[in-house]
Amino acid sequence: MKGKFSSFLAGVVVTVLVGALIGPAMASGGVLTLNAEPIRVTVNGELFQPKDVSGHDVPVFTANGTTYVPLRAISEAYGLSAHYDAAQRMAVITPAALPSDFASQWTVTEKPVANSGGERVFTAVYNGSMNMNEFKAWWKSMDASTIKANAEQMAADVQALAPGASITLYFSYGSYSLGNALAVGGSTASNFIPAGVWIK
């Protein structure tokens, strides 16, 4: 992913520099005419449809052998943040702010299900402001052992509030399942294979 990311940033730098060079030409000529061909783009295997700040579709196209995509939309697809500095006439791309505290990102509630043998089932639903691409970037920024340790600690913390119960804690982002963590007796376990199905 690091290699792809570096290539992406290199492309962004080239595109921004080309834009800076086109600026003076447009200023002197007043109009820039392109013969554009609309195209489709995939990001990590999924069809990518960029939107503007109002949520409207923005076309992706090629012109004279170069592909043009909206900078903000493609940056966000890679978990980055982009904004325009009007004073310097410069597009600025930075890594999106990622939360450092795992446990604070979830709302934990008990599911109203029939329990047997002291088992209690809970859900941990993501409660933050990250959009899906930002969430994916955050999730991928952690290695599997970090996710496992944090999720299992959360299950153990829930069990501490319900002594003697066996806890199953299901994690999700909206309707997307991430996996679960268990706390049974003095042991914990977890399974986050479902997250790998859609976070790539």
Side-chain angles (χ1 to χ4, degrees), residues 90-122:
M90 180 183 298
V92 180
I93 301 169
T94 57
L98 300 177
S100 58
D101 181 18
F102 185 91
S104 69
Q105 302 305 308
W106 315 92
T107 297
V108 177
T109 55
E110 187 167 6
K111 290 186 72 173
V113 297
N115 298 311
S116 62
E119 179 186 11
R120 296 175 67 176
V121 178
F122 291 78

CSV table of all heavy atoms in Angstrom, one decimal, residues 90-122:
chain,number,residue,atom,x,y,z
A,90,MET,N,-3.0,27.3,-3.6
A,90,MET,CA,-2.3,26.0,-3.5
A,90,MET,C,-3.3,25.0,-2.9
A,90,MET,O,-4.0,25.2,-2.0
A,90,MET,CB,-1.1,26.2,-2.5
A,90,MET,CG,-0.3,24.9,-2.3
A,90,MET,SD,1.0,25.1,-1.2
A,90,MET,CE,2.0,26.3,-2.0
A,91,ALA,N,-3.3,23.8,-3.5
A,91,ALA,CA,-4.0,22.7,-3.0
A,91,ALA,C,-3.1,22.0,-2.0
A,91,ALA,O,-2.0,21.7,-2.3
A,91,ALA,CB,-4.4,21.7,-4.1
A,92,VAL,N,-3.7,21.7,-0.8
A,92,VAL,CA,-2.9,21.1,0.3
A,92,VAL,C,-3.5,19.7,0.6
A,92,VAL,O,-4.7,19.6,0.9
A,92,VAL,CB,-2.9,22.0,1.5
A,92,VAL,CG1,-2.1,21.4,2.6
A,92,VAL,CG2,-2.3,23.4,1.1
A,93,ILE,N,-2.7,18.7,0.6
A,93,ILE,CA,-3.1,17.4,1.0
A,93,ILE,C,-2.4,16.9,2.2
A,93,ILE,O,-1.2,17.0,2.3
A,93,ILE,CB,-2.9,16.4,-0.2
A,93,ILE,CG1,-3.6,16.8,-1.4
A,93,ILE,CG2,-3.3,15.0,0.2
A,93,ILE,CD1,-3.1,16.1,-2.7
A,94,THR,N,-3.2,16.4,3.2
A,94,THR,CA,-2.6,16.0,4.5
A,94,THR,C,-3.2,14.7,4.9
A,94,THR,O,-4.4,14.4,4.5
A,94,THR,CB,-2.8,17.0,5.6
A,94,THR,OG1,-4.2,17.3,5.7
A,94,THR,CG2,-2.0,18.3,5.3
A,95,PRO,N,-2.6,13.8,5.7
A,95,PRO,CA,-3.2,12.6,6.2
A,95,PRO,C,-4.4,13.0,7.1
A,95,PRO,O,-4.4,14.0,7.8
A,95,PRO,CB,-2.1,12.0,7.1
A,95,PRO,CG,-0.8,12.6,6.6
A,95,PRO,CD,-1.2,14.0,6.1
A,96,ALA,N,-5.5,12.3,6.9
A,96,ALA,CA,-6.7,12.6,7.7
A,96,ALA,C,-6.3,12.3,9.2
A,96,ALA,O,-5.5,11.4,9.5
A,96,ALA,CB,-7.9,11.7,7.3
A,97,ALA,N,-6.9,13.1,10.1
A,97,ALA,CA,-6.7,12.9,11.5
A,97,ALA,C,-7.3,11.5,11.9
A,97,ALA,O,-8.5,11.3,11.7
A,97,ALA,CB,-7.3,14.0,12.3
A,98,LEU,N,-6.5,10.7,12.5
A,98,LEU,CA,-7.0,9.3,12.9
A,98,LEU,C,-7.1,9.3,14.4
A,98,LEU,O,-6.1,9.7,15.1
A,98,LEU,CB,-6.1,8.2,12.3
A,98,LEU,CG,-6.0,8.2,10.8
A,98,LEU,CD1,-5.0,7.1,10.4
A,98,LEU,CD2,-7.3,7.9,10.2
A,99,PRO,N,-8.1,8.7,14.9
A,99,PRO,CA,-8.2,8.6,16.4
A,99,PRO,C,-7.2,7.7,17.0
A,99,PRO,O,-6.9,6.7,16.4
A,99,PRO,CB,-9.7,8.1,16.6
A,99,PRO,CG,-10.0,7.4,15.4
A,99,PRO,CD,-9.3,8.2,14.3
A,100,SER,N,-6.7,8.0,18.2
A,100,SER,CA,-5.7,7.1,18.8
A,100,SER,C,-6.3,6.2,19.9
A,100,SER,O,-5.8,5.2,20.2
A,100,SER,CB,-4.6,8.0,19.4
A,100,SER,OG,-5.2,8.9,20.4
A,101,ASP,N,-7.5,6.6,20.3
A,101,ASP,CA,-8.2,5.8,21.4
A,101,ASP,C,-9.2,4.9,20.8
A,101,ASP,O,-10.3,5.3,20.3
A,101,ASP,CB,-8.8,6.7,22.4
A,101,ASP,CG,-9.5,5.9,23.6
A,101,ASP,OD1,-9.1,4.7,23.7
A,101,ASP,OD2,-10.3,6.5,24.3
A,102,PHE,N,-9.0,3.6,20.7
A,102,PHE,CA,-9.8,2.6,20.1
A,102,PHE,C,-11.2,2.5,20.8
A,102,PHE,O,-12.2,2.6,20.1
A,102,PHE,CB,-9.2,1.2,20.1
A,102,PHE,CG,-9.9,0.1,19.4
A,102,PHE,CD1,-9.6,-0.1,18.0
A,102,PHE,CD2,-10.9,-0.6,20.0
A,102,PHE,CE1,-10.3,-1.1,17.4
A,102,PHE,CE2,-11.6,-1.6,19.3
A,102,PHE,CZ,-11.3,-1.9,18.0
A,103,ALA,N,-11.2,2.4,22.1
A,103,ALA,CA,-12.5,2.2,22.8
A,103,ALA,C,-13.5,3.3,22.7
A,103,ALA,O,-14.7,3.1,22.7
A,103,ALA,CB,-12.2,1.9,24.3
A,104,SER,N,-13.0,4.5,22.5
A,104,SER,CA,-13.9,5.7,22.5
A,104,SER,C,-14.7,5.8,21.2
A,104,SER,O,-15.6,6.6,21.1
A,104,SER,CB,-13.1,7.0,22.7
A,104,SER,OG,-12.3,7.3,21.6
A,105,GLN,N,-14.3,5.0,20.2
A,105,GLN,CA,-14.9,5.0,18.9
A,105,GLN,C,-16.3,4.3,18.8
A,105,GLN,O,-16.9,4.3,17.7
A,105,GLN,CB,-14.0,4.5,17.8
A,105,GLN,CG,-12.6,5.3,17.8
A,105,GLN,CD,-12.8,6.8,17.6
A,105,GLN,OE1,-13.5,7.2,16.7
A,105,GLN,NE2,-12.2,7.5,18.5
A,106,TRP,N,-16.7,3.6,19.8
A,106,TRP,CA,-17.8,2.7,19.8
A,106,TRP,C,-18.9,3.0,20.8
A,106,TRP,O,-18.6,3.5,21.9
A,106,TRP,CB,-17.4,1.3,20.0
A,106,TRP,CG,-16.1,1.0,19.2
A,106,TRP,CD1,-14.8,1.0,19.6
A,106,TRP,CD2,-16.1,0.5,17.8
A,106,TRP,NE1,-14.0,0.7,18.6
A,106,TRP,CE2,-14.7,0.4,17.5
A,106,TRP,CE3,-17.0,0.3,16.9
A,106,TRP,CZ2,-14.3,0.0,16.2
A,106,TRP,CZ3,-16.6,-0.1,15.6
A,106,TRP,CH2,-15.2,-0.3,15.3
A,107,THR,N,-20.1,2.8,20.4
A,107,THR,CA,-21.3,2.8,21.4
A,107,THR,C,-21.6,1.4,21.6
A,107,THR,O,-22.0,0.6,20.7
A,107,THR,CB,-22.5,3.6,20.8
A,107,THR,OG1,-22.1,4.9,20.5
A,107,THR,CG2,-23.6,3.5,21.7
A,108,VAL,N,-21.5,1.0,22.9
A,108,VAL,CA,-21.8,-0.4,23.3
A,108,VAL,C,-23.1,-0.5,23.9
A,108,VAL,O,-23.4,0.2,24.9
A,108,VAL,CB,-20.7,-0.9,24.3
A,108,VAL,CG1,-21.0,-2.3,24.7
A,108,VAL,CG2,-19.3,-0.9,23.6
A,109,THR,N,-24.0,-1.4,23.4
A,109,THR,CA,-25.3,-1.6,24.0
A,109,THR,C,-25.6,-3.1,24.0
A,109,THR,O,-25.1,-3.9,23.2
A,109,THR,CB,-26.4,-0.9,23.2
A,109,THR,OG1,-26.3,-1.3,21.8
A,109,THR,CG2,-26.3,0.6,23.2
A,110,GLU,N,-26.4,-3.5,24.9
A,110,GLU,CA,-26.8,-4.9,25.0
A,110,GLU,C,-28.0,-5.2,24.0
A,110,GLU,O,-28.9,-4.4,23.9
A,110,GLU,CB,-27.2,-5.3,26.4
A,110,GLU,CG,-27.5,-6.8,26.6
A,110,GLU,CD,-27.6,-7.2,28.0
A,110,GLU,OE1,-27.6,-6.4,28.9
A,110,GLU,OE2,-27.6,-8.5,28.3
A,111,LYS,N,-27.9,-6.3,23.3
A,111,LYS,CA,-28.9,-6.7,22.4
A,111,LYS,C,-30.0,-7.4,23.2
A,111,LYS,O,-29.8,-8.2,24.0
A,111,LYS,CB,-28.4,-7.7,21.4
A,111,LYS,CG,-27.4,-7.1,20.3
A,111,LYS,CD,-27.1,-8.0,19.3
A,111,LYS,CE,-28.2,-8.3,18.3
A,111,LYS,NZ,-27.8,-9.1,17.1
A,112,PRO,N,-31.3,-7.0,22.9
A,112,PRO,CA,-32.4,-7.7,23.6
A,112,PRO,C,-32.7,-9.0,23.0
A,112,PRO,O,-33.7,-9.2,22.2
A,112,PRO,CB,-33.6,-6.7,23.3
A,112,PRO,CG,-33.2,-6.1,22.0
A,112,PRO,CD,-31.7,-6.0,22.0
A,113,VAL,N,-31.9,-10.0,23.4
A,113,VAL,CA,-32.1,-11.4,22.9
A,113,VAL,C,-32.2,-12.3,24.0
A,113,VAL,O,-31.8,-12.0,25.2
A,113,VAL,CB,-30.9,-11.8,22.0
A,113,VAL,CG1,-30.8,-11.0,20.7
A,113,VAL,CG2,-29.6,-11.8,22.8
A,114,ALA,N,-32.8,-13.5,23.8
A,114,ALA,CA,-33.0,-14.5,24.8
A,114,ALA,C,-31.6,-15.1,25.1
A,114,ALA,O,-31.0,-15.6,24.2
A,114,ALA,CB,-34.0,-15.5,24.4
A,115,ASN,N,-31.1,-15.0,26.3
A,115,ASN,CA,-29.8,-15.5,26.7
A,115,ASN,C,-29.9,-16.8,27.4
A,115,ASN,O,-30.9,-17.0,28.1
A,115,ASN,CB,-29.1,-14.5,27.5
A,115,ASN,CG,-28.8,-13.2,26.8
A,115,ASN,OD1,-28.3,-13.2,25.7
A,115,ASN,ND2,-29.2,-12.1,27.4
A,116,SER,N,-29.0,-17.7,27.2
A,116,SER,CA,-29.0,-18.9,28.0
A,116,SER,C,-27.6,-19.2,28.5
A,116,SER,O,-26.6,-18.9,27.9
A,116,SER,CB,-29.4,-20.1,27.0
A,116,SER,OG,-28.5,-20.2,26.0
A,117,GLY,N,-27.6,-19.9,29.7
A,117,GLY,CA,-26.3,-20.3,30.3
A,117,GLY,C,-25.5,-19.1,30.7
A,117,GLY,O,-24.2,-19.2,30.7
A,118,GLY,N,-26.1,-18.0,31.0
A,118,GLY,CA,-25.3,-16.8,31.4
A,118,GLY,C,-24.6,-16.0,30.3
A,118,GLY,O,-23.8,-15.2,30.5
A,119,GLU,N,-25.0,-16.3,29.0
A,119,GLU,CA,-24.4,-15.6,27.9
A,119,GLU,C,-25.2,-14.3,27.7
A,119,GLU,O,-26.4,-14.3,27.7
A,119,GLU,CB,-24.5,-16.4,26.6
A,119,GLU,CG,-23.9,-15.7,25.4
A,119,GLU,CD,-24.1,-16.4,24.1
A,119,GLU,OE1,-24.8,-17.4,24.1
A,119,GLU,OE2,-23.5,-16.0,23.1
A,120,ARG,N,-24.4,-13.2,27.5
A,120,ARG,CA,-25.0,-11.9,27.1
A,120,ARG,C,-24.4,-11.4,25.9
A,120,ARG,O,-23.1,-11.5,25.7
A,120,ARG,CB,-24.9,-10.9,28.3
A,120,ARG,CG,-25.7,-11.4,29.6
A,120,ARG,CD,-25.4,-10.6,30.8
A,120,ARG,NE,-26.0,-9.2,30.6
A,120,ARG,CZ,-26.0,-8.3,31.6
A,120,ARG,NH1,-25.5,-8.6,32.8
A,120,ARG,NH2,-26.6,-7.1,31.4
A,121,VAL,N,-25.2,-10.8,25.0
A,121,VAL,CA,-24.7,-10.3,23.7
A,121,VAL,C,-24.8,-8.8,23.6
A,121,VAL,O,-25.8,-8.2,24.0
A,121,VAL,CB,-25.6,-11.0,22.6
A,121,VAL,CG1,-25.1,-10.4,21.2
A,121,VAL,CG2,-25.5,-12.5,22.6
A,122,PHE,N,-23.7,-8.2,23.2
A,122,PHE,CA,-23.6,-6.8,23.1
A,122,PHE,C,-23.2,-6.4,21.6
A,122,PHE,O,-22.6,-7.2,20.9
A,122,PHE,CB,-22.6,-6.2,24.1
A,122,PHE,CG,-23.1,-6.3,25.5
A,122,PHE,CD1,-23.0,-7.5,26.2
A,122,PHE,CD2,-23.5,-5.2,26.2
A,122,PHE,CE1,-23.3,-7.6,27.5
A,122,PHE,CE2,-23.9,-5.3,27.5
A,122,PHE,CZ,-23.8,-6.5,28.2
